[in-house]
């Protein structure tokens, strides 16, 4: 059986967001972004969050002198996809249609977003028609 990584907590997600926005970074650099006024107080917390993310496979680390450089091993779109699939399986018997319907109906999509959605639907329809 394939083991899927456990989901990330909100605190871990804030660390991942820094790595997605800024790229590879040290613990100190991440802490300075998250808590610029309290770097020393939050350094250990960020270190522990990074250790958990490494253990879950969401972040990798490479030695850089006496420190480590941390880098996201998963991109934002992949994590979004995993979370949506989990919601679909839990609430919608595996179907993404109710999720897409809710997003489209309850969010005011501008014309550009509507076009992107329609283009995606067209592309998926074309893929499904191929033998």
């Amino acid at each position: 059986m394939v083991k899927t990584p456990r989901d990330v907590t909100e605190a871990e997600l804030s660390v991942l967001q820094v790595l997605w926005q800024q790229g590879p970074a040290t613990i100190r650099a991440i802490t300075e972004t998250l808590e610029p006024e309290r770097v020393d107080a939050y350094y250990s917390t960020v270190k522990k969050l990074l250790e958990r993310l490494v253990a879950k496979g969401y972040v990798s680390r490479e030695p850089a002198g006496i420190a480590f450089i941390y880098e996201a091993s998963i991109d934002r779109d992949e994590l979004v996809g995993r979370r949506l699939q989990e919601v679909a399986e839990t609430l919608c018997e595996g179907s993404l249609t109710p999720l897409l319907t809710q997003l489209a109906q309850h969010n005011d999509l501008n014309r550009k977003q509507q076009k992107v959605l329609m283009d995606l639907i067209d592309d998926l329809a074309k893929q499904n028609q191929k033998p």
Side-chain angles (χ1 to χ4, degrees), residues 72-126:
S73 300
I74 186 171
D75 65 21
R76 187 184 317 264
D77 289 342
E78 185 177 348
L79 184 58
V80 167
R82 284 184 187 183
R83 282 189 165 190
L84 287 175
Q85 189 62 48
E86 183 179 312
V87 170
E89 289 169 8
T90 304
L91 297 176
C92 308
E93 299 175 354
S95 174
L96 290 173
T97 303
L99 294 177
L100 295 172
T101 303
Q102 288 296 314
L103 289 171
Q105 288 178 344
H106 295 285
N107 291 309
D108 293 329
L109 300 177
N110 62 37
R111 291 205 182 272
K112 181 178 179 182
Q113 292 169 326
Q114 290 172 1
K115 180 172 179 1
V116 169
L117 184 57
M118 293 304 294
D119 289 347
L120 175 61
I121 291 169
D122 289 343
D123 289 346
L124 291 172
K126 289 175 187 172

Side-chain angles (χ1 to χ4, degrees), residues 19 53 66 114 118:
L19 293 173
L53 286 166
I66 60 171
Q114 290 172 1
M118 293 304 294

Side-chain angles (χ1 to χ4, degrees), residues 2-126:
V2 175
K3 184 178 177 185
T4 57
R6 296 173 292 171
D7 199 16
V8 296
T9 65
E10 292 304 311
E12 292 167 344
L13 183 59
S14 66
V15 171
L16 271 174
Q17 288 173 333
V18 171
L19 293 173
W20 288 330
Q21 292 168 359
Q22 298 180 0
T26 63
I27 296 171
R28 182 157 301 279
I30 295 166
T31 307
E32 287 172 351
T33 300
L34 293 172
E35 293 290 340
E37 302 298 319
R38 300 179 279 190
V39 172
D40 291 335
Y42 283 91
Y43 183 92
S44 294
T45 301
V46 172
K47 180 179 179 187
K48 186 65 176 171
L49 291 170
L50 284 163
E51 288 171 0
R52 290 181 358 201
L53 286 166
V54 168
K56 290 178 181 182
Y58 289 111
V59 169
S60 62
R61 71 179 196 172
E62 294 293 326
I66 60 171
F68 285 97
I69 300 292
Y70 293 85
E71 183 173 7
S73 300
I74 186 171
D75 65 21
R76 187 184 317 264
D77 289 342
E78 185 177 348
L79 184 58
V80 167
R82 284 184 187 183
R83 282 189 165 190
L84 287 175
Q85 189 62 48
E86 183 179 312
V87 170
E89 289 169 8
T90 304
L91 297 176
C92 308
E93 299 175 354
S95 174
L96 290 173
T97 303
L99 294 177
L100 295 172
T101 303
Q102 288 296 314
L103 289 171
Q105 288 178 344
H106 295 285
N107 291 309
D108 293 329
L109 300 177
N110 62 37
R111 291 205 182 272
K112 181 178 179 182
Q113 292 169 326
Q114 290 172 1
K115 180 172 179 1
V116 169
L117 184 57
M118 293 304 294
D119 289 347
L120 175 61
I121 291 169
D122 289 343
D123 289 346
L124 291 172
K126 289 175 187 172

